[in-house]
Amino acid sequence: MPPSLTSFTDDARIALDNITDRASGLMHPAIRLGVTGLSRAGKTVFISSLVHNLLNGGRLPLFEAVRSGRVSAVRLEPQPDDAIPRFQYEDHIQALVRDRIWPDSTRAISELRITLDYQSASGWSRMFSRGRLSIDIVDYPGEWLLDLPLLTQDFRAFSENTVTLAETGIRKELSREWLALASSIDMDAPADEMTARRLSEAFAAYLRACKADERSLSTLPPGRFLMPGDLEGSPALTFAPLPNIPETKASKGSLRAMMERRYDAYKNVVVKPFFREHFARLDRQIVLIDALQAINRGPEAVQDLERALTDVLACFRPGSNSFFSSLVGRRIDKVLVAATKADHLHHESHDRLERLTGRLVDRAIQRIGMAGAGIEVMAIASVRATREATVKEDNHILPVIVGTPMAGETINGERFDGNKKTAIFPGDLPDNPEALFQNLDAPNAELPEINVVRFRPPALEESNGGLKLSVPHIRLDRAMQFLFGDRLA
């Protein structure tokens, strides 16, 4: 991370935490895997499926340690951080496989430890290694990650960036009420609590409107305005960006001074502790995105997703760790950007979705001037909710996907009850993603039509009270191999 994100005191505390982690790792090897995602990309589903497949002998042919039979035991263990809520794996997996409903979205940070006993592929390593690795999975909302760039911005820069973005495209209409209110007040007038409250409520309403399903925009800091939790109503969340802030210093006791103070409090109370206590201690990271939803919502949603990825990747500093360098400044040495819900496409489009995601990431990397070492992209489905089939229509064979739409889902005028299966033609992605990106800025640009349907999780057979099958997936094993396969070599 750039030095300006942290103070000397922050760096000292981060170094102390890293030394503690490394000392513990000498006796019990472990890696910290961060899992986050942007706007309903499926973080909870990803973790639940990953753990379920490891615990229940899932089909993982691309996860080398399992394929070769070197993993002898897998178990859940108490997490090392007692102050962090436990990821409630048992509740989430029951929702998926027994109730066939999707678990609730991530609203706060949580953690889960899963430990693998394995035999090293190297005879030399088997002489010196215990053959045990713990994976501490740290689940946190993507909105928190998008807050990290705020650490490099003062209130005036934050306001200028936010207002400029709010005056573009569809945001212009969504931000009208907030900007009209913000423009009507005198920022140099004495601070007034009710004015601050009206401004913050109007700004939060604008952010919620941007995030709504029908728009699916991604770049929406400050993240806690969308999920305030126990900070709801606090001064640290009762502020808003202001337009046209002069370069002069704010008058003492003015509304502008109050906004600046509360913005700084938000960074100190919310953003810095997350960075110092959690983000700076991660070894590996996966960022889940719903690229299909963005494509379905149009060019502006795709551009906003790319903007969010630029901000996200700017938070990482991929690179190799030595033992000594990691004591004071641990690097996240592998970052995986995964486009989820690949099961909503026919397999012929899976590689196309991956190439499209790679193009999003490449453009983001170019914009922030960062080398791409340590960054990978994939198209996955943490839980495969559909199967593939073909139908004949007008002497043409069409590839379709078959699944059970969620209750209330409407397709071609038919409303589904959550029990009836149906087949749909999902649409096609372009073979060359350049064709899509070249048209994004064109007036009335059109994107491929993708049928985004909410399907129920699949029905799994049971025998004697136990599941016969683990949760089906697409390329989850490939993700495992990239994220921690090398630590089981």
Side-chain angles (χ1 to χ4, degrees), residues 23 37 116 152 219 261 298 333 339 415 476:
L116 288 72
T152 64
T219 310
R261 185 177 67 253
D333 54 9
R415 187 178 178 87
L476 183 63

Side-chain angles (χ1 to χ4, degrees), residues 21-330:
D21 289 344
R22 292 312 186 199
S24 175
L26 291 175
M27 299 298 296
H28 193 150
I31 62 170
R32 294 180 67 82
L33 170 63
V35 179
T36 195
L38 303 179
S39 190
R40 301 185 182 179
K43 300 177 291 296
T44 302
V45 174
F46 172 83
I47 297 172
S48 299
S49 181
L50 181 149
V51 173
H52 189 267
N53 274 278
L54 286 175
L55 290 174
N56 293 278
R59 294 185 66 254
L60 304 171
L62 298 182
F63 188 27
E64 190 279 330
V66 168
R67 185 192 69 228
S68 62
R70 294 192 294 106
V71 175
S72 58
V74 182
R75 61 191 174 277
L76 292 176
E77 290 190 328
Q79 65 200 57
D81 301 298
D82 292 335
I84 301 177
R86 182 180 184 272
F87 179 86
Q88 297 301 329
Y89 162 74
E90 294 81 3
D91 295 341
H92 297 319
I93 204 66
Q94 178 171 320
L96 280 169
V97 304
R98 300 286 166 84
D99 303 330
R100 294 184 63 199
I101 59 175
W102 300 107
D104 293 335
S105 300
T106 298
R107 305 294 297 177
I109 197 163
S110 63
E111 186 176 345
L112 187 71
R113 167 170 281 196
I114 185 167
T115 297
L116 288 72
D117 291 336
Y118 69 98
Q119 184 179 56
S120 174
S122 165
W124 179 260
S125 296
R126 288 197 294 270
M127 293 177 61
F128 298 98
S129 172
R130 297 177 58 191
R132 179 177 298 171
L133 177 70
S134 290
I135 304 166
D136 295 325
I137 302 172
V138 182
D139 174 34
Y140 64 94
E143 288 82 357
W144 294 15
L145 185 58
L146 287 170
D147 273 354
L148 291 183
L150 299 181
L151 294 177
T152 64
Q153 301 172 26
D154 61 16
F155 180 68
R156 193 164 70 86
F158 160 68
S159 293
E160 182 178 341
N161 294 338
T162 305
V163 170
T164 299
L165 183 59
E167 292 175 334
T168 63
I170 194 174
R171 290 175 181 259
K172 189 171 184 178
E173 177 61 32
L174 301 177
S175 65
R176 188 181 303 277
E177 181 179 340
W178 157 54
L179 287 179
L181 177 61
S183 299
S184 69
I185 60 100
D186 180 1
M187 67 179 73
D188 293 318
D192 177 71
E193 189 65 41
M194 291 309 297
T195 301
R197 181 175 170 183
R198 289 198 305 272
L199 281 168
S200 66
E201 289 176 348
F203 178 59
Y206 153 69
L207 294 178
R208 288 193 296 270
C210 290
K211 187 179 181 180
D213 281 350
E214 60 267 27
R215 301 174 190 95
S216 298
L217 299 181
S218 304
T219 310
L220 304 169
R224 290 296 181 93
F225 276 67
L226 293 168
M227 45 182 65
D230 57 1
L231 290 176
E232 186 167 9
S234 67
L237 261 63
T238 311
F239 69 91
L242 298 175
N244 304 316
I245 298 178
E247 295 187 12
T248 57
K249 186 177 181 180
S251 302
K252 186 176 181 180
S254 66
L255 179 68
R256 174 184 162 196
M258 173 195 276
M259 296 289 102
E260 289 182 353
R261 185 177 67 253
R262 291 183 174 183
Y263 170 74
D264 289 338
Y266 181 85
K267 293 195 293 182
N268 290 327
V269 173
V270 175
V271 186
K272 278 191 175 183
F274 165 68
F275 171 71
R276 184 180 63 242
E277 298 167 13
H278 305 296
F279 185 80
R281 296 173 59 202
L282 297 177
D283 299 300
R284 308 280 167 91
Q285 176 71 54
I286 180 169
V287 179
L288 303 167
I289 64 171
D290 190 350
L292 293 180
Q293 180 81 321
I295 292 170
N296 199 48
R297 293 297 179 255
E300 193 165 342
V302 175
Q303 291 174 317
D304 203 67
L305 174 58
E306 184 182 357
R307 183 185 299 112
L309 280 174
T310 301
D311 291 343
V312 164
L313 293 179
C315 296
F316 297 108
R317 186 176 56 175
S320 59
N321 272 310
S322 69
F323 176 81
F324 292 104
S325 69
S326 68
L327 291 182
V328 293
R330 187 188 306 189

